[in-house]
Amino acid sequence: MTGPVTDAPSRAIWDALYAEGNHAPIAPYTDIIAFLARSFARDGQGRKVLEIGCGTAQNLLFANWSMGFEVYGVDYSETAITQARAQFRGKGLSYGALEVADATRLDFPDSHFDAVVERGAAQHNRLAVARAILAEMRRVLKPGGVLCCSLAAEGHFLFGQGTHLGEGDFFNGEHDGTRHFFSRRDVLDLFAGMEITRWMLHSRQDVPGNRMVEQYHVVEARKPA
Ligand SMILES: C[S@@+](CC[C@H](N)C(=O)[O-])C[C@H]1O[C@@H](n2cnc3c(N)ncnc32)[C@H](O)[C@@H]1O
């Protein structure tokens, strides 16, 4: 096998989190839904969207149910994909595909999707693996297609915790395994060759505790036509 590979401990951690019901489907994430609405004028009919690291697929469920997209999702947690399929079945909805797969090796043809999204998945890998994931997301996106990523930033409260694996890379067994915290330079490198159409740094603060909790780069980009 060549190229960067995903680490097995993190995969096992995610599978256990889903099995314990700790990452149960609750609601879609506004960053992803707002991006799809902005990009397609709220009309997903006839459009294919893929989510990398879709988990239990609450984003895809909304994209299909409320927006009409044909949806596809991959996640390396088998338990997550089982729960994702059950959600669609439970609502009598259909999907293009929901498959167990490593996001660095997607079994989809080149230039296949109108939109490819990920929320909080690429960041759960070392930077080299995140780069490989971005390359795959870009490969399967149609020319002129759009992409949205949500990536932990260096101001995230978990930055620096756990075992330091490399620049910006940490393994935190107390939380959810491997994570890369993206600098602005990382983001620019990751999206080189694509047109960044929107880039927001979202910070969440625990007000009573007076401390910063989460911080993410939310990056939207277009593949050159
Ligand atoms: C924070 S959860 C986000 C789940 C979903 N995107 C959401 O918005 O609720 C991160 C997900 O990414 C998946 N993941 C992380 N690295 C992956 C990889 N290399 N290949 C496939 N899935 C991956 C995990 O199994 C987990 O389901």
Side-chain angles (χ1 to χ4, degrees):
M1 200 181 278
T2 57
V5 288
T6 320
D7 57 309
S10 291
R11 183 176 180 161
I13 287 172
W14 277 106
D15 213 47
L17 284 172
Y18 287 114
E20 290 158 11
N22 276 348
H23 219 74
I26 304 167
Y29 281 86
T30 48
D31 291 335
I32 298 298
I33 301 307
F35 160 74
L36 291 174
R38 242 191 327 272
S39 304
F40 298 101
R42 291 190 170 76
D43 185 7
Q45 295 291 340
R47 309 277 193 178
K48 287 187 176 68
V49 58
L50 168 69
E51 181 173 358
I52 299 302
C54 64
T56 54
Q58 64 265 41
N59 302 319
L60 293 176
L61 197 72
F62 189 91
N64 176 251
W65 193 17
S66 300
M67 304 174 91
F69 285 94
E70 185 177 322
V71 298
Y72 296 74
V74 298
D75 199 290
Y76 65 8
S77 160
E78 203 168 333
T79 310
I81 291 297
T82 302
Q83 293 178 4
R85 289 177 182 157
Q87 285 213 88
F88 275 79
R89 248 196 334 272
K91 291 204 167 355
L93 297 172
S94 57
Y95 47 83
L98 289 171
E99 299 296 335
V100 179
D102 188 319
T104 60
R105 291 175 189 79
L106 299 176
D107 196 15
F108 296 111
D110 295 355
S111 306
H112 195 60
F113 295 100
D114 299 285
V116 181
V117 300
E118 72 84 38
R119 192 214 61 92
Q123 65 173 23
H124 282 295
N125 295 274
R126 296 190 66 166
L127 179 58
V129 178
R131 278 201 200 102
I133 292 174
L134 255 290
E136 274 296 82
M137 292 174 74
R138 184 175 166 168
R139 178 184 69 76
V140 299
L141 191 59
K142 289 179 183 170
V146 289
L147 180 151
C148 180
C149 291
S150 171
L151 307 159
E154 292 166 313
H156 196 286
F157 79 112
L158 290 172
F159 179 82
Q161 293 186 25
T163 309
H164 186 217
L165 303 174
E167 207 173 326
D169 292 338
F170 292 86
F171 181 82
N172 189 339
E174 305 281 300
H175 267 270
D176 33 27
T178 303
R179 199 189 285 248
H180 182 76
F181 297 87
F182 292 78
S183 65
R184 290 181 186 216
R185 170 53 50 201
D186 291 336
V187 172
L188 288 171
D189 288 348
L190 215 54
F191 289 87
M194 295 191 82
E195 178 200 353
I196 294 180
T197 50
R198 201 164 192 268
W199 179 0
M200 307 295 282
L201 186 65
H202 289 191
S203 298
R204 294 211 305 177
Q205 188 168 1
D206 164 18
V207 176
N210 192 27
R211 63 185 186 113
M212 195 62 79
V213 276
E214 296 176 328
Q215 193 180 69
Y216 293 96
H217 297 280
V218 180
V219 187
E220 301 179 5
R222 186 180 305 281
K223 180 170 171 175

